[in-house]
Amino acid sequence: MLKQGQGRVVVGFGAESIVELDDGTLLRCKTHRRTGRAVCGDQVRFRQSTPQEGVIEEILPRRNALTRTNYRGQERTLAANIDLLAVVIAAAPEPDFTLVDRYLVLAEHLQAIACLVRNKADLAQTNAELEARLSLYRALDYPIITTSATDGDGVATLAEALAGGTGILVGQSGVGKSSLINRLVPDRQTRTQALSHASGQGRHTTTETTLYPLPRGGALIDSPGIRILRLAHLSVDEIAHGYRELRPFAGQCQFRDCLHQDEPGCAVQPAVEQGRIDPRRLASFHVLLRELR
């Protein structure tokens, strides 16, 4: 019997998507032009046309949408309805903290929970700069989870943080995101093969944003497209709001368009001099502002 109902997009191929139904059935669905492009994580209403195929008739309202801007200023939505954004770092490769801050700004914009995941704990590398930075983020109330994808330490804690919602792991290349995903999703290969089969063309989904259910509950989005992140679609105020330590000073500067550099009457610069704001975070804020220009 053909069905009508609600499902969740687990992977998208342009105008086509694979929708998972409540009973776990994977349905290849086309999207009407009037409906718009469905993305991974979308909740949709569908109408089944054959046992393996259907049509997406409505994309339900999104709580948020993860959007990437390319160097031409064009926006592309990669995923939707994200509850937790976990930024993965490691002692090696050397962390790019400006990139970390970009992800945290994005999480604040999405109104998603953000945490830092320190992976490769098994290497036992000491790094004074890394420890100092972690203390800074800890003081800003960002949870920090220590993991080792090699021996599995801390993975259960990360899985617990992901349970009950939809999360995504982000971070620079080489920090072990794929290894962590393999730990969190032990049947990933089987799941990927099922998605490829459901596509009807044997497509490989490893280069597509894909959602995997987690054994402890919740779901994890794997998005290769988020490795390069620009925030040109955000305004100056939205980027400033993404820096938690700047929020108490909103509206206190002499000029409304103050960029917290050398403007007269800036309320932020004295806070930096007093040690209330870390100058490295303010410097990364200015990096993001320069990109907007």
Side-chain angles (χ1 to χ4, degrees), residues 188-268:
R188 183 184 184 186
Q189 184 175 358
T190 301
R191 180 75 176 177
T192 300
Q193 291 172 348
L195 292 172
S196 297
H197 177 73
S199 72
Q201 300 177 20
R203 304 192 200 196
H204 296 289
T205 61
T206 53
T207 59
E208 304 289 344
T209 300
T210 306
L211 183 145
Y212 299 101
L214 296 174
R216 296 191 178 193
L220 182 64
I221 292 175
D222 179 17
S223 181
I226 200 63
R227 290 172 184 161
I228 301 174
L229 179 67
R230 300 183 74 247
L231 300 176
H233 60 292
L234 302 187
S235 68
V236 172
D237 288 344
E238 287 171 328
I239 290 177
H241 182 77
Y243 286 79
R244 293 180 174 179
E245 61 271 65
L246 297 184
R247 293 178 192 171
F249 303 95
Q252 294 188 21
C253 296
Q254 181 177 341
F255 299 103
R256 187 185 179 283
D257 60 351
C258 182
L259 300 179
H260 315 314
Q261 294 177 314
D262 53 4
E263 298 92 338
C266 175
V268 170

Side-chain angles (χ1 to χ4, degrees), residues 38-244:
V39 299
C40 183
D42 269 330
Q43 293 286 342
V44 299
R45 295 193 186 280
F46 70 91
R47 173 175 50 82
Q48 196 171 8
S49 53
T50 74
Q52 292 81 34
E53 298 180 331
V55 175
I56 292 175
E57 298 190 318
E58 180 186 3
I59 300 172
L60 300 181
R62 295 166 174 165
R63 296 193 309 276
N64 55 39
L66 193 158
T67 301
R68 185 185 69 179
T69 308
N70 65 19
Y71 289 100
R72 297 179 180 178
Q74 299 168 321
E75 297 181 14
R76 182 189 176 194
T77 301
L78 299 174
N81 302 318
I82 294 170
D83 299 298
L84 173 72
L85 190 147
V87 186
V88 184
I89 61 172
E94 182 178 352
D96 179 350
F97 285 105
T98 299
L99 180 61
V100 170
D101 290 340
R102 290 176 199 268
Y103 287 126
L104 295 179
V105 168
L106 177 62
E108 300 286 353
H109 178 69
L110 296 175
Q111 297 184 0
I113 298 170
C115 71
L116 273 68
V117 178
R118 183 184 180 181
N119 195 30
K120 301 186 180 181
D122 55 292
L123 299 182
Q125 293 175 302
T126 57
N127 185 317
E129 170 65 13
L130 175 58
E131 297 304 326
R133 285 297 185 101
L134 290 177
S135 297
L136 167 61
Y137 293 112
R138 196 176 284 112
L140 293 170
D141 292 329
Y142 287 111
I144 298 173
I145 301 172
T146 300
T147 61
S148 168
T150 300
D151 56 28
D153 286 352
V155 174
T157 303
L158 179 56
E160 184 178 345
L162 291 164
T166 299
I168 183 170
L169 303 187
V170 297
Q172 66 198 88
S173 297
V175 294
K177 296 187 299 297
S178 293
S179 297
L180 282 173
I181 292 173
N182 287 334
R183 283 276 185 180
L184 292 163
V185 188
D187 62 344
R188 183 184 184 186
Q189 184 175 358
T190 301
R191 180 75 176 177
T192 300
Q193 291 172 348
L195 292 172
S196 297
H197 177 73
S199 72
Q201 300 177 20
R203 304 192 200 196
H204 296 289
T205 61
T206 53
T207 59
E208 304 289 344
T209 300
T210 306
L211 183 145
Y212 299 101
L214 296 174
R216 296 191 178 193
L220 182 64
I221 292 175
D222 179 17
S223 181
I226 200 63
R227 290 172 184 161
I228 301 174
L229 179 67
R230 300 183 74 247
L231 300 176
H233 60 292
L234 302 187
S235 68
V236 172
D237 288 344
E238 287 171 328
I239 290 177
H241 182 77
Y243 286 79
R244 293 180 174 179

Side-chain angles (χ1 to χ4, degrees), residues 98 102 229-232 286-293:
T98 299
R102 290 176 199 268
L229 179 67
R230 300 183 74 247
L231 300 176
H286 289 144
V287 169
L288 298 190
L289 293 191
R290 285 195 293 272
E291 286 188 359
L292 291 183
R293 301 176 183 176

Side-chain angles (χ1 to χ4, degrees), residues 278-289:
D278 192 288
R280 295 168 294 187
R281 284 272 288 174
L282 186 60
S284 78
F285 168 70
H286 289 144
V287 169
L288 298 190
L289 293 191

